[in-house]
PDB file of all heavy atoms in Angstrom:
ATOM      1  N   THR A  59       7.918  31.469   6.117  1.00 98.00           N
ATOM      2  CA  THR A  59       7.854  32.487   5.061  1.00 98.00           C
ATOM      3  C   THR A  59       6.552  32.356   4.268  1.00 98.00           C
ATOM      4  O   THR A  59       5.906  33.352   3.940  1.00 98.00           O
ATOM      5  CB  THR A  59       9.095  32.365   4.148  1.00 98.00           C
ATOM      6  OG1 THR A  59      10.257  32.415   4.981  1.00 98.00           O
ATOM      7  CG2 THR A  59       9.162  33.488   3.127  1.00 98.00           C
ATOM      8  N   LEU A 115      20.248  26.768  -6.695  1.00 98.00           N
ATOM      9  CA  LEU A 115      21.604  26.710  -7.261  1.00 98.00           C
ATOM     10  C   LEU A 115      22.468  25.749  -6.446  1.00 98.00           C
ATOM     11  O   LEU A 115      22.170  25.499  -5.274  1.00 98.00           O
ATOM     12  CB  LEU A 115      22.275  28.086  -7.186  1.00 98.00           C
ATOM     13  CG  LEU A 115      21.725  29.220  -8.045  1.00 98.00           C
ATOM     14  CD1 LEU A 115      22.396  30.540  -7.634  1.00 98.00           C
ATOM     15  CD2 LEU A 115      21.987  28.943  -9.522  1.00 98.00           C
ATOM     16  N   GLY A 195      24.079  34.581  15.512  1.00 98.00           N
ATOM     17  CA  GLY A 195      24.274  35.816  14.751  1.00 98.00           C
ATOM     18  C   GLY A 195      25.586  36.487  15.111  1.00 98.00           C
ATOM     19  O   GLY A 195      26.399  36.826  14.237  1.00 98.00           O
ATOM     20  N   PRO A 236      13.756  14.808  10.292  1.00 97.00           N
ATOM     21  CA  PRO A 236      14.620  13.686   9.876  1.00 97.00           C
ATOM     22  C   PRO A 236      14.920  13.709   8.376  1.00 97.00           C
ATOM     23  O   PRO A 236      14.383  14.546   7.643  1.00 97.00           O
ATOM     24  CB  PRO A 236      13.778  12.444  10.201  1.00 97.00           C
ATOM     25  CG  PRO A 236      12.571  12.905  10.899  1.00 97.00           C
ATOM     26  CD  PRO A 236      12.412  14.365  10.616  1.00 97.00           C
ATOM     27  N   ASP A 240      11.835   6.440   1.549  1.00 97.00           N
ATOM     28  CA  ASP A 240      10.782   6.048   0.591  1.00 97.00           C
ATOM     29  C   ASP A 240       9.409   6.023   1.241  1.00 97.00           C
ATOM     30  O   ASP A 240       8.410   6.345   0.611  1.00 97.00           O
ATOM     31  CB  ASP A 240      11.108   4.668  -0.001  1.00 97.00           C
ATOM     32  CG  ASP A 240      12.202   4.788  -1.055  1.00 97.00           C
ATOM     33  OD1 ASP A 240      12.430   5.915  -1.553  1.00 97.00           O
ATOM     34  OD2 ASP A 240      12.838   3.755  -1.364  1.00 97.00           O
ATOM     35  N   TYR A 242       8.281   8.010   3.549  1.00 97.00           N
ATOM     36  CA  TYR A 242       7.754   9.386   3.587  1.00 97.00           C
ATOM     37  C   TYR A 242       7.340   9.832   2.177  1.00 97.00           C
ATOM     38  O   TYR A 242       6.360  10.551   2.000  1.00 97.00           O
ATOM     39  CB  TYR A 242       8.803  10.359   4.132  1.00 97.00           C
ATOM     40  CG  TYR A 242       9.172  10.148   5.585  1.00 97.00           C
ATOM     41  CD1 TYR A 242      10.506  10.057   5.967  1.00 97.00           C
ATOM     42  CD2 TYR A 242       8.196  10.074   6.569  1.00 97.00           C
ATOM     43  CE1 TYR A 242      10.866   9.878   7.295  1.00 97.00           C
ATOM     44  CE2 TYR A 242       8.546   9.898   7.907  1.00 97.00           C
ATOM     45  CZ  TYR A 242       9.881   9.804   8.256  1.00 97.00           C
ATOM     46  OH  TYR A 242      10.235   9.632   9.572  1.00 97.00           O
ATOM     47  N   SER A 264       7.135  23.366  16.163  1.00 98.00           N
ATOM     48  CA  SER A 264       8.068  24.235  15.458  1.00 98.00           C
ATOM     49  C   SER A 264       8.194  25.545  16.225  1.00 98.00           C
ATOM     50  O   SER A 264       7.194  26.058  16.748  1.00 98.00           O
ATOM     51  CB  SER A 264       7.534  24.516  14.045  1.00 98.00           C
ATOM     52  OG  SER A 264       8.467  25.270  13.316  1.00 98.00           O
ATOM     53  N   VAL A 268      13.569  35.213  17.079  1.00 98.00           N
ATOM     54  CA  VAL A 268      14.532  35.991  16.297  1.00 98.00           C
ATOM     55  C   VAL A 268      14.670  37.397  16.880  1.00 98.00           C
ATOM     56  O   VAL A 268      13.680  37.992  17.314  1.00 98.00           O
ATOM     57  CB  VAL A 268      14.058  36.109  14.815  1.00 98.00           C
ATOM     58  CG1 VAL A 268      15.138  36.752  13.959  1.00 98.00           C
ATOM     59  CG2 VAL A 268      13.679  34.750  14.240  1.00 98.00           C
ATOM     60  N   PHE A 272      16.692  43.775  11.444  1.00 98.00           N
ATOM     61  CA  PHE A 272      16.808  43.538  10.006  1.00 98.00           C
ATOM     62  C   PHE A 272      17.145  44.850   9.303  1.00 98.00           C
ATOM     63  O   PHE A 272      16.445  45.846   9.444  1.00 98.00           O
ATOM     64  CB  PHE A 272      15.515  42.918   9.471  1.00 98.00           C
ATOM     65  CG  PHE A 272      15.378  41.479   9.909  1.00 98.00           C
ATOM     66  CD1 PHE A 272      14.968  41.170  11.206  1.00 98.00           C
ATOM     67  CD2 PHE A 272      15.731  40.448   9.058  1.00 98.00           C
ATOM     68  CE1 PHE A 272      14.898  39.856  11.631  1.00 98.00           C
ATOM     69  CE2 PHE A 272      15.656  39.127   9.477  1.00 98.00           C
ATOM     70  CZ  PHE A 272      15.242  38.831  10.762  1.00 98.00           C
ATOM     71  N   LEU A 301      17.631  20.689  24.777  1.00 98.00           N
ATOM     72  CA  LEU A 301      17.226  19.813  23.672  1.00 98.00           C
ATOM     73  C   LEU A 301      18.440  19.146  23.018  1.00 98.00           C
ATOM     74  O   LEU A 301      18.621  17.944  23.069  1.00 98.00           O
ATOM     75  CB  LEU A 301      16.412  20.580  22.624  1.00 98.00           C
ATOM     76  CG  LEU A 301      15.711  19.726  21.549  1.00 98.00           C
ATOM     77  CD1 LEU A 301      14.675  20.527  20.798  1.00 98.00           C
ATOM     78  CD2 LEU A 301      16.609  19.037  20.557  1.00 98.00           C
ATOM     79  N   ILE A 308      21.125  10.812  24.190  1.00 98.00           N
ATOM     80  CA  ILE A 308      20.140   9.782  23.792  1.00 98.00           C
ATOM     81  C   ILE A 308      20.611   9.081  22.518  1.00 98.00           C
ATOM     82  O   ILE A 308      20.481   7.864  22.369  1.00 98.00           O
ATOM     83  CB  ILE A 308      18.747  10.437  23.562  1.00 98.00           C
ATOM     84  CG1 ILE A 308      18.221  11.066  24.854  1.00 98.00           C
ATOM     85  CG2 ILE A 308      17.755   9.417  23.026  1.00 98.00           C
ATOM     86  CD1 ILE A 308      16.928  11.879  24.670  1.00 98.00           C
ATOM     87  N   HIS A 371      13.056   9.509  13.918  1.00 96.00           N
ATOM     88  CA  HIS A 371      14.320  10.249  13.801  1.00 96.00           C
ATOM     89  C   HIS A 371      15.460   9.305  14.198  1.00 96.00           C
ATOM     90  O   HIS A 371      15.429   8.700  15.254  1.00 96.00           O
ATOM     91  CB  HIS A 371      14.236  11.428  14.777  1.00 96.00           C
ATOM     92  CG  HIS A 371      15.209  12.517  14.526  1.00 96.00           C
ATOM     93  ND1 HIS A 371      15.517  13.448  15.484  1.00 96.00           N
ATOM     94  CD2 HIS A 371      15.943  12.851  13.446  1.00 96.00           C
ATOM     95  CE1 HIS A 371      16.385  14.306  15.001  1.00 96.00           C
ATOM     96  NE2 HIS A 371      16.663  13.968  13.768  1.00 96.00           N
ATOM     97  N   ARG A 374      21.596   7.722  14.224  1.00 98.00           N
ATOM     98  CA  ARG A 374      22.782   8.027  13.414  1.00 98.00           C
ATOM     99  C   ARG A 374      22.750   9.476  12.906  1.00 98.00           C
ATOM    100  O   ARG A 374      23.778  10.089  12.704  1.00 98.00           O
ATOM    101  CB  ARG A 374      22.898   7.052  12.239  1.00 98.00           C
ATOM    102  CG  ARG A 374      21.820   7.192  11.211  1.00 98.00           C
ATOM    103  CD  ARG A 374      21.888   6.099  10.173  1.00 98.00           C
ATOM    104  NE  ARG A 374      21.806   4.771  10.778  1.00 98.00           N
ATOM    105  CZ  ARG A 374      21.838   3.639  10.081  1.00 98.00           C
ATOM    106  NH1 ARG A 374      21.966   3.679   8.767  1.00 98.00           N
ATOM    107  NH2 ARG A 374      21.737   2.485  10.666  1.00 98.00           N
ATOM    108  N   VAL A 388      28.639  20.881  25.091  1.00 98.00           N
ATOM    109  CA  VAL A 388      29.218  20.319  26.318  1.00 98.00           C
ATOM    110  C   VAL A 388      30.195  21.233  27.086  1.00 98.00           C
ATOM    111  O   VAL A 388      30.048  21.385  28.303  1.00 98.00           O
ATOM    112  CB  VAL A 388      29.903  18.956  25.978  1.00 98.00           C
ATOM    113  CG1 VAL A 388      30.740  18.448  27.132  1.00 98.00           C
ATOM    114  CG2 VAL A 388      28.845  17.932  25.589  1.00 98.00           C
ATOM    115  N   GLY A 404      26.909  13.469  33.666  1.00 98.00           N
ATOM    116  CA  GLY A 404      26.145  13.243  32.432  1.00 98.00           C
ATOM    117  C   GLY A 404      26.872  13.781  31.207  1.00 98.00           C
ATOM    118  O   GLY A 404      26.793  13.196  30.116  1.00 98.00           O
ATOM    119  N   ALA A 429      28.283   2.865  13.590  1.00 98.00           N
ATOM    120  CA  ALA A 429      29.165   2.793  12.417  1.00 98.00           C
ATOM    121  C   ALA A 429      28.657   3.705  11.304  1.00 98.00           C
ATOM    122  O   ALA A 429      29.444   4.205  10.490  1.00 98.00           O
ATOM    123  CB  ALA A 429      29.253   1.353  11.918  1.00 98.00           C
ATOM    124  N   PRO A 448      42.905   5.715  29.519  1.00 98.00           N
ATOM    125  CA  PRO A 448      43.205   7.107  29.921  1.00 98.00           C
ATOM    126  C   PRO A 448      43.969   7.871  28.837  1.00 98.00           C
ATOM    127  O   PRO A 448      43.687   9.040  28.576  1.00 98.00           O
ATOM    128  CB  PRO A 448      44.066   6.938  31.180  1.00 98.00           C
ATOM    129  CG  PRO A 448      43.771   5.556  31.674  1.00 98.00           C
ATOM    130  CD  PRO A 448      43.438   4.730  30.471  1.00 98.00           C
ATOM    131  N   ARG A 473      37.155  10.902  34.604  1.00 98.00           N
ATOM    132  CA  ARG A 473      35.762  10.435  34.674  1.00 98.00           C
ATOM    133  C   ARG A 473      35.306   9.906  33.306  1.00 98.00           C
ATOM    134  O   ARG A 473      34.635   8.881  33.218  1.00 98.00           O
ATOM    135  CB  ARG A 473      34.871  11.598  35.143  1.00 98.00           C
ATOM    136  CG  ARG A 473      33.424  11.211  35.371  1.00 98.00           C
ATOM    137  CD  ARG A 473      33.269  10.176  36.498  1.00 98.00           C
ATOM    138  NE  ARG A 473      31.880   9.777  36.688  1.00 98.00           N
ATOM    139  CZ  ARG A 473      31.455   8.529  36.809  1.00 98.00           C
ATOM    140  NH1 ARG A 473      32.318   7.514  36.776  1.00 98.00           N
ATOM    141  NH2 ARG A 473      30.187   8.248  36.977  1.00 98.00           N
ATOM    142  N   ARG A 491      22.252   3.599  33.676  1.00 96.00           N
ATOM    143  CA  ARG A 491      21.725   3.365  35.041  1.00 96.00           C
ATOM    144  C   ARG A 491      22.656   3.969  36.081  1.00 96.00           C
ATOM    145  O   ARG A 491      22.232   4.603  37.029  1.00 96.00           O
ATOM    146  CB  ARG A 491      21.567   1.856  35.293  1.00 96.00           C
ATOM    147  CG  ARG A 491      20.115   1.392  35.142  1.00 96.00           C
ATOM    148  CD  ARG A 491      19.924  -0.014  35.683  1.00 96.00           C
ATOM    149  NE  ARG A 491      20.849  -0.983  35.106  1.00 96.00           N
ATOM    150  CZ  ARG A 491      20.637  -1.623  33.950  1.00 96.00           C
ATOM    151  NH1 ARG A 491      19.545  -1.411  33.248  1.00 96.00           N
ATOM    152  NH2 ARG A 491      21.524  -2.478  33.498  1.00 96.00           N
TER     153      ARG A 491
END
Side-chain angles (χ1 to χ4, degrees):
T59 306
L115 292 171
D240 283 342
Y242 294 130
S264 184
V268 188
F272 287 78
L301 191 166
I308 298 173
H371 198 198
R374 67 187 57 180
V388 169
R473 185 63 182 133
R491 259 192 306 275

